[in-house]
Amino acid sequence: MLSKRSQVLEESITLAITALANELKAKGENVISFSAGEPDFDTPQIIKNAAIKAIEKGCGKYTAVAGINEVLKAVQNKLKKDNGLDYELKEIITNVGAKHSLFECIECLIEKGDEVIIPSPYWVSYPEMVKFAEGVPVFVEGLEENGFKITAKQLEKAITAQTKLLILNSPSNPVGSIYSKEELQALAKVLEGTKIMVLSDEMYEKLRYDNVAFHAFASISEDALQRSVTINGLSKCGAMPGWRFGYMASKNQDLISAVKRLQGQSTSNICTITQHAAIPALNGECEQDIEDMRRAFQTRRDIGLEILSKIPNISVYKPQGAFYFFVNISRIEKDSMKFCQKLLEKEKVAVVPGVGFGMDGYFRLSYATSDELIKKGLERIAKFIDTYTA
């Protein structure tokens, strides 16, 4: 008999769509998939070399749960250099990808009945993690005209005596919007005097376009620093999705200690080889690789925007970061699952229904693929929309 807790979890819709697209490809279907949430670029060679060197040196033993000192220092230096944040080594822990960081943080903070404010549209796993911890997701809708970002007024209205946590994601998945310093300051002001923690998911930090600035929430003020859990990793900005390297940093020593205990009784340390491989990436030794990738994504964004803007009856927000388009199809179909299923069936194009991100009438399209496939795929989508009937 399964536990009630395990039965509240829903399958990740992004992983499900990707698996279905791969299944069709294996059957010989000419599928173009825009569903994956990972860079299509190979991991930089300097990272590979660090992993090879670690293997050759026999660095395959268990480490401390939080990670080896060298990788913790590299995270510490990265946070100082890139974000102006000062953390002690004891305030940092490495995890099996940032998804693991998020999961452990929520498990250690949330009790039954605690409310967690989640701006929508949101990354699909946030509410599932909260429900698994027996918390209550409270969704606050970011309006399209505001880049799908919530305002201080909306946040203030959503807070109750049961509010325990706010989850922020900037640059965001699925939209690619970035909170400005002024917007973050306004949100931080609302939280002053409360005990509400902020879980700041900053995974797409270095994938930004048009010189839009990024600000870590913890850097906004001393109050913001004390209530923040900064979460990041190398899956996106280091082109290391399968290596599973994430980390969290917090001034809340009780939280970090609790996470260490949870991790110590579950995964223990993350892969030792991955820890060694992450060090050059954190130390900025592959910044040119990241910049080359960022520029390629910006080119792809611009190609996609030009084509999408010519398709009638849809609209799309211009992403400031990440590598997704969040396409508004509500004028032709409000049931995003139905639309996406038909698109995959008729035109063999895989995109992710907006309902999985808390906003029906939209779909997410990842442009982490080649210029050629973006053009071909969007041509198929344009053809499909031209003849679409609900």
Side-chain angles (χ1 to χ4, degrees):
M1 179 66 69
L2 294 174
S3 68
K4 290 182 180 178
R5 178 181 294 176
S6 69
Q7 295 179 65
V8 305
L9 287 173
E10 296 180 15
E11 182 181 15
S12 167
I13 194 167
T14 52
L15 295 179
I17 294 291
T18 300
L20 180 57
N22 289 337
E23 187 179 312
L24 290 172
K25 285 181 181 179
K27 292 179 180 178
E29 299 280 7
N30 182 18
V31 175
I32 296 176
S33 180
F34 293 131
S35 60
E38 61 179 349
D40 56 316
F41 295 89
D42 195 11
T43 303
Q45 190 61 47
I46 193 167
I47 296 173
K48 294 181 184 179
N49 291 343
I52 293 168
K53 185 176 179 180
I55 293 169
E56 290 176 339
K57 288 175 62 179
C59 300
K61 307 296 184 183
Y62 293 134
T63 74
V65 170
I68 58 176
N69 274 346
E70 293 88 344
V71 78
L72 294 176
K73 287 178 180 177
V75 171
Q76 181 186 53
N77 292 337
K78 183 270 170 208
L79 290 169
K80 175 65 175 177
K81 176 173 63 75
D82 291 348
N83 310 116
L85 298 172
D86 287 307
Y87 287 102
E88 297 180 46
L89 295 187
K90 66 181 181 180
E91 297 170 336
I92 300 167
I93 180 171
T94 61
N95 317 105
V96 189
K99 182 181 281 190
H100 189 217
S101 309
L102 293 160
F103 180 84
E104 290 192 321
C105 179
I106 290 169
E107 282 297 307
C108 289
L109 282 176
I110 301 305
E111 295 184 283
K112 187 173 183 178
D114 285 342
E115 293 180 355
V116 179
I117 296 175
I118 304 175
S120 63
Y122 46 74
W123 180 51
V124 296
S125 293
Y126 294 148
E128 299 305 310
M129 292 178 183
V130 171
K131 289 189 292 183
F132 190 75
E134 299 187 274
V136 180
V138 175
F139 303 114
V140 179
E141 183 178 334
L143 299 179
E144 185 167 357
E145 54 264 35
N146 192 42
F148 298 94
K149 295 174 286 187
I150 66 168
T151 64
K153 188 175 181 180
Q154 286 179 297
L155 174 61
E156 188 171 22
K157 187 177 180 181
I159 292 173
T160 73
Q162 286 72 47
T163 306
K164 186 74 172 288
L165 182 67
L166 164 67
I167 298 179
L168 281 180
N169 179 209
S170 176
S172 76
N173 172 10
V175 175
S177 57
I178 298 175
Y179 282 86
S180 69
K181 185 175 183 178
E182 292 72 26
E183 288 168 330
L184 292 176
Q185 286 173 330
L187 295 176
K189 191 69 177 175
V190 170
L191 297 175
E192 288 181 6
T194 74
K195 295 183 179 180
I196 299 168
M197 297 285 290
V198 177
L199 194 163
S200 186
D201 180 352
E202 302 173 358
M203 277 296 293
Y204 297 89
E205 170 190 5
K206 296 188 178 182
L207 298 180
R208 293 174 283 113
Y209 316 119
D210 307 322
N211 295 314
V212 175
F214 167 81
H215 299 279
F217 183 80
S219 70
I220 294 302
S221 66
E222 181 61 26
D223 183 84
L225 174 64
Q226 294 301 324
R227 71 176 67 249
S228 292
V229 185
T230 298
I231 288 181
N232 210 325
L234 295 172
S235 295
K236 318 301 181 183
C237 297
M240 296 175 67
W243 294 72
R244 311 314 296 137
F245 182 85
Y247 60 87
M248 73 170 74
S250 176
K251 291 294 179 181
N252 188 325
Q253 191 57 56
D254 288 341
L255 171 61
I256 295 297
S257 296
V259 169
K260 286 180 183 178
R261 292 195 298 272
L262 174 59
Q263 188 161 303
Q265 297 294 354
S266 53
T267 63
S268 298
N269 64 275
I270 71 171
C271 172
T272 308
I273 305 306
T274 293
Q275 292 185 53
H276 286 275
I279 293 170
L282 292 165
N283 284 338
E285 296 176 45
C286 53
E287 289 299 301
Q288 188 57 54
D289 297 275
I290 295 171
E291 174 60 14
D292 291 344
M293 181 171 64
R294 189 203 66 77
R295 287 181 179 177
F297 280 136
Q298 179 162 325
T299 297
R300 294 170 181 182
R301 181 204 63 170
D302 294 343
I303 290 170
L305 278 173
E306 184 178 1
I307 299 171
L308 286 166
S309 66
K310 296 175 182 177
I311 301 176
N313 298 318
I314 69 167
S315 62
V316 60
Y317 170 79
K318 183 179 181 180
Q320 297 175 306
F323 40 71
Y324 308 107
F325 291 123
F326 201 54
V327 183
N328 187 338
I329 53 169
S330 60
R331 277 179 282 177
I332 56 176
E333 177 60 83
K334 291 185 170 29
D335 186 338
S336 58
M337 181 66 78
K338 177 182 176 182
F339 179 92
C340 293
Q341 286 175 333
K342 282 188 174 183
L343 177 62
L344 184 56
E345 174 189 331
K346 293 188 176 182
E347 292 296 334
K348 302 298 183 291
V349 175
V351 295
V352 186
V355 66
F357 303 97
M359 199 164 281
D360 223 350
Y362 291 79
F363 67 79
R364 190 194 78 173
L365 185 157
S366 168
Y367 49 90
T369 188
S370 69
D371 297 9
E372 181 183 1
L373 285 179
I374 291 170
K375 293 173 184 176
K376 285 183 179 179
L378 290 181
E379 285 174 7
R380 293 187 191 181
I381 290 174
K383 176 185 173 185
F384 177 74
I385 289 175
D386 187 51
T387 60
Y388 184 82
T389 53

